[in-house]
Amino acid sequence: MPGGTVYAQFVSFQREYPQSLLGDTPPEVIAALIAIYPVLVTANRILGFITWTTDSCYRNFVVFCLYSLLILHWNNYFLIVLPTIMALSFCCYAWFIRKSYVEFGESGHSSPTIEEVLNTLDNFTMRSSLIFDMNIKEMASKRKIRSLLTNLSVLTPLYSLFMKHHVSANTWIFMVSLIMYTYYSSPFMAMRQLLWRFKPLRYVAQVLTGEHYPLEDKDVEITILNLNTRESIDRNTKIAELHLVENQRRWLGVGWCSKMFLWEETPSYYSPDTKRGFDTLSQYEFPLLRNYPHSTWTWVDDSWRANGGWTYFDYHWQDGQQQDSLTRYTRRRLLKRKCLLSLRR
Protein backbone atom coordinates (compact mmCIF):
# COMPACT_ATOMS: atom_id res chain seq x y z
CA MET A 1 0.00 0.00 0.00
CA PRO A 2 1.36 3.48 -0.80
CA GLY A 3 2.60 5.26 2.26
CA GLY A 4 2.07 2.20 4.46
CA THR A 5 4.15 -0.61 5.84
CA VAL A 6 4.19 -3.79 3.81
CA TYR A 7 5.36 -7.10 5.25
CA ALA A 8 6.30 -10.24 3.39
CA GLN A 9 3.45 -12.70 3.14
CA PHE A 10 3.53 -16.45 2.69
CA VAL A 11 1.80 -17.46 -0.53
CA SER A 12 0.28 -20.92 -0.78
CA PHE A 13 2.23 -22.99 -3.23
CA GLN A 14 0.36 -24.14 -6.35
CA ARG A 15 2.60 -26.09 -8.67
CA GLU A 16 1.43 -27.27 -12.08
CA TYR A 17 2.08 -30.99 -12.38
CA PRO A 18 2.16 -32.90 -15.67
CA GLN A 19 -1.05 -34.46 -16.90
CA SER A 20 0.54 -37.91 -16.83
CA LEU A 21 1.25 -37.71 -13.12
CA LEU A 22 -1.84 -39.68 -12.15
CA GLY A 23 -1.13 -42.39 -14.69
CA ASP A 24 2.54 -42.72 -13.74
CA THR A 25 1.90 -42.90 -9.99
CA PRO A 26 1.32 -46.40 -8.58
CA PRO A 27 -2.15 -46.95 -7.07
CA GLU A 28 -0.62 -47.86 -3.71
CA VAL A 29 1.11 -44.47 -3.50
CA ILE A 30 -2.09 -42.64 -4.46
CA ALA A 31 -4.09 -44.51 -1.82
CA ALA A 32 -1.47 -43.75 0.84
CA LEU A 33 -1.39 -40.03 -0.05
CA ILE A 34 -5.19 -39.75 0.02
CA ALA A 35 -5.32 -41.56 3.37
CA ILE A 36 -2.74 -39.25 4.95
CA TYR A 37 -4.21 -36.08 3.42
CA PRO A 38 -6.40 -35.11 6.43
CA VAL A 39 -3.43 -35.50 8.79
CA LEU A 40 -1.27 -33.50 6.38
CA VAL A 41 -3.84 -30.69 6.27
CA THR A 42 -3.96 -30.60 10.07
CA ALA A 43 -0.17 -30.48 10.38
CA ASN A 44 -0.02 -27.82 7.67
CA ARG A 45 -2.51 -25.65 9.57
CA ILE A 46 -0.58 -26.05 12.81
CA LEU A 47 2.69 -25.06 11.13
CA GLY A 48 0.96 -22.12 9.48
CA PHE A 49 -0.22 -20.95 12.90
CA ILE A 50 3.23 -21.37 14.46
CA THR A 51 5.08 -19.63 11.62
CA TRP A 52 2.47 -16.87 11.19
CA THR A 53 2.06 -17.75 7.49
CA THR A 54 -1.71 -18.14 7.31
CA ASP A 55 -3.93 -15.96 5.12
CA SER A 56 -4.70 -13.75 8.11
CA CYS A 57 -2.75 -13.48 11.35
CA TYR A 58 -5.62 -12.12 13.43
CA ARG A 59 -6.05 -15.55 15.05
CA ASN A 60 -2.48 -15.41 16.30
CA PHE A 61 -3.04 -12.00 17.88
CA VAL A 62 -6.35 -13.03 19.46
CA VAL A 63 -4.91 -16.23 20.90
CA PHE A 64 -1.88 -14.46 22.28
CA CYS A 65 -3.98 -11.68 23.83
CA LEU A 66 -6.17 -14.24 25.58
CA TYR A 67 -3.12 -16.18 26.70
CA SER A 68 -1.49 -13.00 28.03
CA LEU A 69 -4.57 -12.08 30.06
CA LEU A 70 -4.68 -15.59 31.47
CA ILE A 71 -1.01 -15.52 32.52
CA LEU A 72 -0.84 -11.97 33.88
CA HIS A 73 -4.12 -12.28 35.82
CA TRP A 74 -3.88 -15.95 36.74
CA ASN A 75 -4.84 -15.40 40.37
CA ASN A 76 -8.12 -13.77 39.35
CA TYR A 77 -9.06 -16.29 36.67
CA PHE A 78 -7.92 -19.46 38.37
CA LEU A 79 -11.14 -20.26 40.24
CA ILE A 80 -13.57 -18.19 38.18
CA VAL A 81 -13.10 -18.83 34.49
CA LEU A 82 -10.55 -21.64 34.34
CA PRO A 83 -13.20 -24.37 33.77
CA THR A 84 -14.77 -22.24 31.03
CA ILE A 85 -11.40 -21.68 29.37
CA MET A 86 -10.66 -25.40 29.44
CA ALA A 87 -14.04 -26.19 27.88
CA LEU A 88 -13.60 -23.55 25.17
CA SER A 89 -10.08 -24.79 24.44
CA PHE A 90 -11.34 -28.33 23.96
CA CYS A 91 -14.16 -27.10 21.70
CA CYS A 92 -11.72 -25.08 19.58
CA TYR A 93 -9.43 -28.10 19.32
CA ALA A 94 -12.30 -30.35 18.23
CA TRP A 95 -13.51 -27.76 15.71
CA PHE A 96 -10.01 -27.35 14.30
CA ILE A 97 -9.50 -31.08 13.83
CA ARG A 98 -12.93 -31.59 12.29
CA LYS A 99 -12.51 -28.68 9.89
CA SER A 100 -9.13 -29.97 8.80
CA TYR A 101 -10.49 -33.45 8.16
CA VAL A 102 -13.51 -32.36 6.13
CA GLU A 103 -11.87 -29.49 4.25
CA PHE A 104 -11.03 -31.59 1.21
CA GLY A 105 -14.75 -32.04 0.58
CA GLU A 106 -15.22 -28.33 -0.19
CA SER A 107 -13.99 -28.72 -3.78
CA GLY A 108 -17.06 -30.72 -4.73
CA HIS A 109 -15.75 -34.27 -4.60
CA SER A 110 -15.42 -36.79 -1.82
CA SER A 111 -11.67 -37.30 -2.06
CA PRO A 112 -8.78 -34.96 -2.94
CA THR A 113 -6.92 -35.13 -6.21
CA ILE A 114 -3.27 -36.06 -6.34
CA GLU A 115 -2.44 -32.44 -7.25
CA GLU A 116 -4.16 -31.14 -4.10
CA VAL A 117 -2.28 -33.61 -1.95
CA LEU A 118 1.09 -32.68 -3.48
CA ASN A 119 0.39 -28.95 -3.20
CA THR A 120 -0.46 -29.37 0.47
CA LEU A 121 2.72 -31.38 0.92
CA ASP A 122 4.73 -28.61 -0.77
CA ASN A 123 3.23 -25.99 1.55
CA PHE A 124 4.00 -28.19 4.55
CA THR A 125 7.61 -28.57 3.39
CA MET A 126 8.05 -24.83 2.84
CA ARG A 127 6.65 -24.00 6.27
CA SER A 128 8.88 -26.62 7.86
CA SER A 129 11.91 -25.07 6.17
CA LEU A 130 11.09 -21.75 7.85
CA ILE A 131 11.65 -23.45 11.20
CA PHE A 132 14.64 -25.64 10.44
CA ASP A 133 16.57 -23.31 8.11
CA MET A 134 17.09 -20.44 10.60
CA ASN A 135 20.69 -21.20 11.52
CA ILE A 136 19.66 -24.34 13.39
CA LYS A 137 22.91 -26.08 12.49
CA GLU A 138 24.96 -23.32 14.05
CA MET A 139 22.82 -23.07 17.17
CA ALA A 140 22.39 -26.80 17.79
CA SER A 141 26.03 -27.92 17.86
CA LYS A 142 27.00 -30.17 20.75
CA ARG A 143 29.47 -27.66 22.13
CA LYS A 144 26.88 -24.87 22.10
CA ILE A 145 24.25 -27.03 23.79
CA ARG A 146 26.63 -28.24 26.51
CA SER A 147 27.93 -24.75 27.18
CA LEU A 148 24.45 -23.22 27.24
CA LEU A 149 23.04 -25.88 29.59
CA THR A 150 26.01 -25.51 31.93
CA ASN A 151 25.75 -21.73 32.02
CA LEU A 152 21.99 -21.77 32.57
CA SER A 153 22.38 -24.32 35.38
CA VAL A 154 24.92 -22.09 37.11
CA LEU A 155 22.76 -18.98 36.63
CA THR A 156 19.51 -20.63 37.76
CA PRO A 157 19.93 -19.58 41.44
CA LEU A 158 20.44 -15.98 40.32
CA TYR A 159 17.30 -16.18 38.19
CA SER A 160 15.36 -17.52 41.17
CA LEU A 161 16.50 -14.69 43.44
CA PHE A 162 15.72 -12.11 40.76
CA MET A 163 12.21 -13.51 40.25
CA LYS A 164 11.59 -13.68 43.98
CA HIS A 165 12.46 -10.05 44.73
CA HIS A 166 11.98 -8.12 41.47
CA VAL A 167 9.90 -9.91 38.83
CA SER A 168 6.88 -12.11 39.46
CA ALA A 169 6.63 -15.59 38.01
CA ASN A 170 3.65 -14.55 35.88
CA THR A 171 5.60 -11.71 34.28
CA TRP A 172 8.58 -13.98 33.66
CA ILE A 173 6.41 -16.62 31.98
CA PHE A 174 4.74 -13.92 29.90
CA MET A 175 8.08 -12.57 28.64
CA VAL A 176 9.37 -16.04 27.72
CA SER A 177 6.07 -16.91 26.03
CA LEU A 178 6.15 -13.67 24.05
CA ILE A 179 9.58 -14.51 22.62
CA MET A 180 8.66 -18.12 21.84
CA TYR A 181 5.26 -17.34 20.35
CA THR A 182 6.44 -14.56 18.04
CA TYR A 183 9.80 -16.12 17.16
CA TYR A 184 8.81 -16.96 13.55
CA SER A 185 6.66 -13.90 12.92
CA SER A 186 8.02 -11.78 10.04
CA PRO A 187 7.67 -8.39 11.83
CA PHE A 188 9.30 -9.70 15.00
CA MET A 189 12.06 -11.42 13.02
CA ALA A 190 12.90 -8.11 11.36
CA MET A 191 12.75 -6.37 14.75
CA ARG A 192 15.14 -8.90 16.31
CA GLN A 193 17.63 -8.48 13.48
CA LEU A 194 17.60 -4.71 13.93
CA LEU A 195 17.91 -4.89 17.71
CA TRP A 196 20.74 -7.44 17.51
CA ARG A 197 22.90 -4.81 15.82
CA PHE A 198 23.13 -2.89 19.10
CA LYS A 199 26.18 -3.86 21.14
CA PRO A 200 24.49 -3.25 24.55
CA LEU A 201 21.84 -5.84 23.69
CA ARG A 202 24.50 -8.44 22.87
CA TYR A 203 26.25 -7.65 26.12
CA VAL A 204 23.00 -8.18 28.04
CA ALA A 205 22.53 -11.51 26.23
CA GLN A 206 26.03 -12.55 27.34
CA VAL A 207 25.19 -11.73 30.96
CA LEU A 208 21.86 -13.58 30.88
CA THR A 209 23.05 -16.75 29.13
CA GLY A 210 26.77 -16.84 29.86
CA GLU A 211 27.47 -17.38 26.15
CA HIS A 212 29.96 -15.36 24.13
CA TYR A 213 28.49 -13.31 21.28
CA PRO A 214 30.76 -11.26 19.01
CA LEU A 215 30.19 -7.56 19.57
CA GLU A 216 31.26 -6.72 16.03
CA ASP A 217 30.01 -8.19 12.75
CA LYS A 218 32.70 -9.42 10.40
CA ASP A 219 32.33 -9.17 6.63
CA VAL A 220 33.31 -12.69 5.62
CA GLU A 221 33.11 -11.97 1.91
CA ILE A 222 35.79 -9.25 1.92
CA THR A 223 38.10 -11.38 4.08
CA ILE A 224 37.86 -14.44 1.85
CA LEU A 225 38.08 -12.71 -1.53
CA ASN A 226 41.19 -10.76 -0.55
CA LEU A 227 43.19 -13.87 0.30
CA ASN A 228 46.03 -14.84 -2.05
CA THR A 229 44.98 -12.65 -4.96
CA ARG A 230 48.33 -13.40 -6.62
CA GLU A 231 47.23 -17.00 -7.11
CA SER A 232 43.94 -16.06 -8.74
CA ILE A 233 43.34 -17.99 -11.95
CA ASP A 234 40.89 -15.47 -13.39
CA ARG A 235 38.34 -12.92 -12.22
CA ASN A 236 35.84 -15.50 -10.97
CA THR A 237 38.25 -18.25 -9.92
CA LYS A 238 40.58 -17.79 -6.98
CA ILE A 239 42.81 -19.95 -4.84
CA ALA A 240 42.04 -18.98 -1.26
CA GLU A 241 43.93 -20.03 1.84
CA LEU A 242 41.65 -20.82 4.77
CA HIS A 243 42.88 -20.86 8.35
CA LEU A 244 41.94 -22.67 11.54
CA VAL A 245 43.18 -22.26 15.09
CA GLU A 246 43.65 -25.62 16.85
CA ASN A 247 43.30 -25.54 20.64
CA GLN A 248 44.31 -28.31 23.03
CA ARG A 249 44.33 -28.80 26.79
CA ARG A 250 46.61 -31.05 28.85
CA TRP A 251 44.68 -33.66 30.85
CA LEU A 252 46.16 -35.63 33.73
CA GLY A 253 46.87 -39.19 32.65
CA VAL A 254 45.88 -38.50 29.03
CA GLY A 255 48.18 -35.75 27.84
CA TRP A 256 47.33 -33.20 25.20
CA CYS A 257 43.77 -33.56 23.96
CA SER A 258 41.25 -31.44 22.04
CA LYS A 259 38.60 -31.88 24.75
CA MET A 260 37.72 -28.74 26.68
CA PHE A 261 35.83 -28.04 29.88
CA LEU A 262 32.06 -27.70 29.52
CA TRP A 263 32.12 -24.08 30.68
CA GLU A 264 34.96 -23.06 28.38
CA GLU A 265 34.19 -20.73 25.49
CA THR A 266 37.33 -21.85 23.64
CA PRO A 267 36.41 -24.44 20.95
CA SER A 268 38.69 -27.23 19.79
CA TYR A 269 38.95 -25.59 16.37
CA TYR A 270 38.23 -21.97 15.59
CA SER A 271 37.99 -20.28 12.19
CA PRO A 272 39.25 -16.67 12.25
CA ASP A 273 37.71 -16.17 8.80
CA THR A 274 34.11 -17.02 9.73
CA LYS A 275 34.28 -16.52 13.52
CA ARG A 276 32.93 -20.03 14.12
CA GLY A 277 34.05 -22.86 16.35
CA PHE A 278 34.10 -26.61 15.65
CA ASP A 279 34.60 -29.72 17.73
CA THR A 280 36.26 -31.71 14.93
CA LEU A 281 37.81 -30.93 11.55
CA SER A 282 35.02 -32.83 9.80
CA GLN A 283 32.52 -30.20 11.02
CA TYR A 284 34.24 -27.38 9.15
CA GLU A 285 31.92 -25.49 6.81
CA PHE A 286 32.94 -23.20 3.98
CA PRO A 287 32.04 -19.52 4.34
CA LEU A 288 28.80 -18.26 2.81
CA LEU A 289 29.31 -15.34 0.43
CA ARG A 290 26.39 -12.93 0.37
CA ASN A 291 26.76 -11.70 -3.20
CA TYR A 292 27.84 -15.11 -4.51
CA PRO A 293 25.37 -17.62 -3.02
CA HIS A 294 26.08 -20.33 -5.62
CA SER A 295 29.87 -20.33 -5.29
CA THR A 296 31.65 -23.68 -5.16
CA TRP A 297 34.63 -24.65 -3.03
CA THR A 298 37.12 -27.40 -3.89
CA TRP A 299 40.04 -28.41 -1.71
CA VAL A 300 43.47 -28.11 -3.30
CA ASP A 301 45.45 -29.50 -0.35
CA ASP A 302 44.68 -33.00 0.86
CA SER A 303 44.61 -32.03 4.54
CA TRP A 304 45.17 -29.18 6.98
CA ARG A 305 48.81 -28.25 7.53
CA ALA A 306 50.43 -26.57 10.51
CA ASN A 307 51.52 -22.98 9.90
CA GLY A 308 54.16 -22.77 12.60
CA GLY A 309 54.60 -24.50 15.94
CA TRP A 310 52.59 -24.62 19.13
CA THR A 311 52.21 -21.68 21.48
CA TYR A 312 51.86 -22.83 25.10
CA PHE A 313 49.71 -21.02 27.66
CA ASP A 314 48.84 -21.36 31.32
CA TYR A 315 45.62 -22.81 32.71
CA HIS A 316 43.55 -19.78 31.61
CA TRP A 317 45.01 -19.35 28.10
CA GLN A 318 47.29 -16.53 29.24
CA ASP A 319 51.05 -15.86 29.20
CA GLY A 320 51.93 -17.55 25.91
CA GLN A 321 55.40 -18.89 25.22
CA GLN A 322 57.05 -21.14 22.63
CA GLN A 323 58.45 -23.74 25.05
CA ASP A 324 56.47 -26.37 26.95
CA SER A 325 56.85 -26.68 30.72
CA LEU A 326 55.10 -28.10 33.78
CA THR A 327 53.12 -24.87 34.20
CA ARG A 328 51.72 -25.01 30.65
CA TYR A 329 48.24 -26.57 30.47
CA THR A 330 46.89 -25.22 27.16
CA ARG A 331 48.31 -24.70 23.70
CA ARG A 332 47.25 -23.59 20.23
CA ARG A 333 48.60 -23.45 16.71
CA LEU A 334 47.51 -22.16 13.31
CA LEU A 335 46.41 -24.53 10.54
CA LYS A 336 46.05 -23.62 6.87
CA ARG A 337 44.63 -25.25 3.77
CA LYS A 338 44.25 -24.05 0.20
CA CYS A 339 41.04 -24.38 -1.78
CA LEU A 340 39.75 -23.40 -5.20
CA LEU A 341 36.92 -20.86 -5.08
CA SER A 342 34.65 -20.47 -8.12
CA LEU A 343 32.45 -17.40 -7.75
CA ARG A 344 28.84 -17.85 -8.89
CA ARG A 345 26.04 -15.37 -8.37
Side-chain angles (χ1 to χ4, degrees):
M1 296 178 60
T5 303
V6 179
Y7 296 105
Q9 185 177 5
F10 180 86
V11 180
S12 298
F13 196 76
Q14 298 291 336
R15 179 183 298 178
E16 295 183 0
Y17 295 95
Q19 298 294 332
S20 60
L21 179 62
L22 184 60
D24 297 339
T25 305
E28 295 82 1
V29 177
I30 296 178
L33 290 175
I34 294 177
I36 203 175
Y37 180 71
V39 179
L40 191 61
V41 170
T42 304
N44 192 29
R45 285 179 174 273
I46 294 175
L47 278 183
F49 184 82
I50 294 176
T51 57
W52 295 61
T53 54
T54 55
D55 296 336
S56 179
C57 295
Y58 75 92
R59 296 186 184 91
N60 298 73
F61 286 104
V62 171
V63 171
F64 184 73
C65 290
L66 295 177
Y67 177 79
S68 302
L69 292 176
L70 179 63
I71 294 298
L72 295 178
H73 302 279
W74 174 258
N75 296 331
N76 300 329
Y77 298 153
F78 178 70
L79 297 177
I80 301 176
V81 297
L82 181 60
T84 305
I85 293 177
M86 295 178 60
L88 290 176
S89 301
F90 178 78
C91 292
C92 292
Y93 170 78
W95 172 82
F96 175 78
I97 296 297
R98 177 174 176 79
K99 183 178 180 181
S100 299
Y101 267 76
V102 302
E103 183 186 10
F104 60 85
E106 296 178 357
S107 56
H109 43 75
S110 58
S111 61
T113 62
I114 188 66
E115 288 80 7
E116 291 177 343
V117 176
L118 294 180
N119 285 329
T120 304
L121 183 60
D122 287 333
N123 291 330
F124 176 79
T125 304
M126 294 177 64
R127 287 188 169 110
S128 300
S129 64
L130 294 178
I131 298 178
F132 296 105
D133 289 350
M134 295 178 59
N135 299 326
I136 295 299
K137 292 183 179 180
E138 180 179 355
M139 296 172 56
S141 63
K142 292 182 179 179
R143 184 183 62 85
K144 284 287 186 181
I145 293 177
R146 290 198 303 264
S147 177
L148 184 61
L149 290 178
T150 303
N151 294 333
L152 292 180
S153 300
V154 174
L155 295 175
T156 297
L158 299 179
Y159 292 155
S160 302
L161 293 176
F162 184 76
M163 292 173 57
K164 182 178 180 180
H165 298 285
H166 299 281
V167 180
S168 63
N170 293 6
T171 305
W172 185 266
I173 295 176
F174 169 75
M175 295 172 59
V176 175
S177 302
L178 175 63
I179 297 175
M180 295 178 60
Y181 188 75
T182 61
Y183 190 80
Y184 297 104
S185 174
S186 298
F188 285 91
M189 288 172 58
M191 185 184 303
R192 288 200 310 270
Q193 293 178 358
L194 292 176
L195 292 177
W196 191 248
R197 296 178 179 269
F198 293 95
K199 294 182 181 180
L201 182 62
R202 299 190 185 188
Y203 181 77
V204 172
Q206 290 182 3
V207 174
L208 293 179
T209 63
E211 282 292 304
H212 174 71
Y213 301 101
L215 299 180
E216 296 182 359
D217 294 330
K218 186 176 180 62
D219 195 342
V220 178
E221 181 179 351
I222 296 179
T223 303
I224 296 300
L225 296 184
N226 287 344
L227 290 177
N228 290 338
T229 54
R230 296 180 180 179
E231 301 184 35
S232 299
I233 299 177
D234 53 43
R235 182 177 180 180
N236 294 324
T237 305
K238 300 178 180 293
I239 296 181
E241 186 176 83
L242 302 178
H243 298 87
L244 276 181
V245 177
E246 182 180 6
N247 300 308
Q248 291 186 352
R249 175 174 287 277
R250 193 202 302 268
W251 294 85
L252 183 62
V254 178
W256 293 105
C257 182
S258 59
K259 296 294 183 181
M260 303 294 168
F261 290 115
L262 294 178
W263 57 83
E264 273 190 296
E265 298 179 356
T266 304
S268 301
Y269 297 93
Y270 176 77
S271 173
D273 301 319
T274 61
K275 300 295 184 181
R276 294 182 180 179
F278 309 93
D279 294 330
T280 60
L281 289 177
S282 59
Q283 296 178 354
Y284 180 82
E285 297 180 356
F286 289 110
L288 298 178
L289 307 183
R290 297 179 182 176
N291 295 334
Y292 301 90
H294 301 289
S295 299
T296 57
W297 302 77
T298 305
W299 290 117
V300 176
D301 296 335
D302 296 333
S303 60
W304 293 91
R305 297 178 300 171
N307 186 19
W310 292 97
T311 301
Y312 298 87
F313 302 88
D314 58 11
Y315 191 84
H316 301 286
W317 299 93
Q318 302 293 332
D319 189 20
Q321 64 182 32
Q322 301 300 321
Q323 299 295 330
D324 190 10
S325 64
L326 295 178
T327 59
R328 305 292 100 178
Y329 295 95
T330 56
R331 66 179 184 178
R332 65 164 49 110
R333 65 176 178 177
L334 183 65
L335 304 178
K336 64 179 181 179
R337 191 175 182 181
K338 292 183 179 180
C339 65
L340 183 66
L341 171 60
S342 300
L343 300 178
R344 299 290 186 272
R345 291 187 181 274

